[in-house]
Amino acid sequence: MGTKTAAALLTACLLLSACTAAKPESAATSNNQTPATSETSDNTDKGQGTASSPTNSSEHAGSNHVNNSAVQITPQTGNTVADSNEAINSTANANKTYHLDKAYNVVPNQQGAEKKVVLLTFDDGPKEAVMINKIIDILDKHKAKAIFFVNGYRVKEHPELLKLIHDRGQPIGNHSWDHIVLKNKSEAEVEKQIESVQKIVKDTTGQTPLFFRPPHGAGGDVGRKVAKENGLLYMTWSVGSLDWTMKKSQPNKTDSILKNVTEQLHPGSNILMHELPWTVEALDNLLTRLEQKGYQFVDPQSIEVPVS
């Protein structure tokens, strides 16, 4: 009787062991990403808000703030910044009010959104603390935000100026490292020019730019591709102030800036300006004039950016 009991117990143990070994491993869950939105681009390297206006062509190549130094900062490896931007952009775009059309004008995403808006932008900085503070003081007075498109070599020379713009609550855009024409450069060179700025801005402010404007308005297909891969919205402009063509000795520069902008003005205008003394001098009058014409200043944070 004892032998039979022992045999039965042995059999039960063997069966229990077999059942435990056959337990399946749980399957890994996948992370689904939000589908990418289509990139807004056109077939040229210039804004075309008003076809008859010469100020919508590429930025003046003879600008006196071009720097020919070699890129000093090696772009980060991998797609850490681009992946981070993708996750942020795909979520944030659900609540965006505006997008840019093919002529780089600001367009509402739905009925009821204000159409009579303008986007303010300043290129080629950061240059001087006094000038930056004056610009932002005027923007604050008018409750306006502007994109400050910066060059990497300038940020490297004066990171405190970039931090000043950031600390005063203004968005920062990528304007390449050296302010060179990108459309005929290799993809590797364009990546270096764009991604080095992404890195230095991130290292300096803790935030990565979401907007890219190619120097001289000439980024080409490769510039659009690299910008999108880095989660950047590519844009030129649709209204040019022509402030960059003016000389220090030229009379009536502020009046000329007002005239250049207001003659081209239309709903959704993407206005190109620079960190220049005469632009600072004209800015308060310009923003007042725009308000008198019924225009509002769009917050760049309300504009859709691409998902890489």
Side-chain angles (χ1 to χ4, degrees):
M1 195 64 175
T3 302
K4 289 181 180 180
T5 301
L9 288 172
L10 179 60
T11 301
C13 290
L14 291 172
L15 287 171
L16 180 60
S17 177
C19 290
T20 303
K23 185 178 181 181
E25 185 177 326
S26 60
T29 56
S30 60
N31 293 322
N32 294 325
Q33 295 181 342
T34 304
T37 56
S38 59
E39 179 183 14
T40 54
S41 63
D42 62 3
N43 295 321
T44 67
D45 285 312
K46 55 190 178 181
Q48 299 178 7
T50 49
S52 62
S53 173
T55 56
N56 290 319
S57 61
S58 298
E59 191 170 342
H60 192 268
S63 174
N64 62 2
H65 32 261
V66 176
N67 179 279
N68 295 318
S69 63
V71 173
Q72 299 294 322
I73 294 190
T74 304
Q76 62 187 30
T77 58
N79 293 317
T80 305
V81 171
D83 291 345
S84 175
N85 274 9
E86 178 179 346
I88 294 170
N89 298 351
S90 61
T91 301
N93 275 343
N95 300 316
K96 299 297 186 181
T97 310
Y98 297 95
H99 67 277
L100 295 189
D101 66 14
K102 291 184 177 181
Y104 307 113
N105 293 303
V106 181
V107 180
N109 283 338
Q110 63 272 330
Q111 284 188 329
E114 179 59 51
K115 294 181 180 179
K116 206 168 182 181
V117 297
V118 297
L119 174 63
L120 305 174
T121 68
F122 294 89
D123 283 13
D124 297 358
K127 291 182 178 178
E128 299 174 11
V130 171
M131 194 155 47
I132 290 168
N133 276 318
K134 285 182 178 179
I135 291 173
I136 299 178
D137 285 344
I138 295 167
L139 292 173
D140 288 348
K141 174 183 175 181
H142 293 269
K143 298 180 173 59
K145 299 290 185 184
I147 304 174
F148 285 74
F149 285 100
V150 301
N151 295 121
Y153 79 92
R154 290 190 184 276
V155 175
K156 185 183 179 185
E157 291 171 355
H158 293 288
E160 75 281 0
L161 297 181
L162 184 76
K163 197 167 185 306
L164 171 62
I165 297 169
H166 172 74
D167 289 348
R168 294 204 59 182
Q170 296 295 328
I172 293 167
N174 185 325
H175 199 40
S176 86
W177 188 273
D178 284 312
H179 202 283
I180 59 175
V181 175
L182 298 177
K183 67 178 182 179
N184 296 322
K185 301 296 182 184
S186 68
E187 185 166 341
E189 175 64 15
V190 174
E191 286 176 349
K192 186 188 295 185
Q193 287 286 328
I194 293 176
E195 292 176 4
S196 294
V197 176
Q198 292 295 92
K199 184 179 188 303
I200 197 170
V201 173
K202 172 74 171 180
D203 291 346
T204 305
T205 68
Q207 293 184 354
T208 309
L210 296 175
F211 306 100
F212 173 68
R213 174 174 282 159
H216 313 283
D221 291 339
V222 67
R224 291 187 182 87
K225 176 178 181 290
V226 174
K228 186 175 181 182
E229 288 172 350
N230 282 273
L232 288 157
L233 176 60
Y234 180 105
M235 70 172 80
T236 59
W237 59 91
S238 62
V239 170
S241 66
L242 287 178
D243 58 354
W244 67 92
T245 68
M246 299 172 187
K247 305 299 182 185
K248 190 173 182 179
S249 59
Q250 179 179 329
N252 304 317
K253 291 187 289 295
T254 57
D255 291 339
S256 295
I257 289 172
L258 290 170
K259 183 173 183 288
N260 291 337
V261 172
T262 55
E263 285 187 349
Q264 303 172 71
L265 190 63
H266 58 272
S269 293
N270 179 348
I271 303 173
L272 168 64
M273 296 175 282
H274 292 76
E275 287 185 30
L276 293 167
W278 41 91
T279 305
V280 176
E281 185 179 345
L283 187 60
D284 191 21
N285 286 338
L286 175 61
L287 300 192
T288 300
R289 187 81 57 89
L290 295 178
E291 288 171 326
Q292 290 171 344
K293 291 178 177 291
Y295 282 88
Q296 297 180 21
F297 309 114
V298 69
D299 187 338
Q301 293 185 357
S302 68
I303 301 174
E304 285 183 0
V305 294
V307 178
S308 57

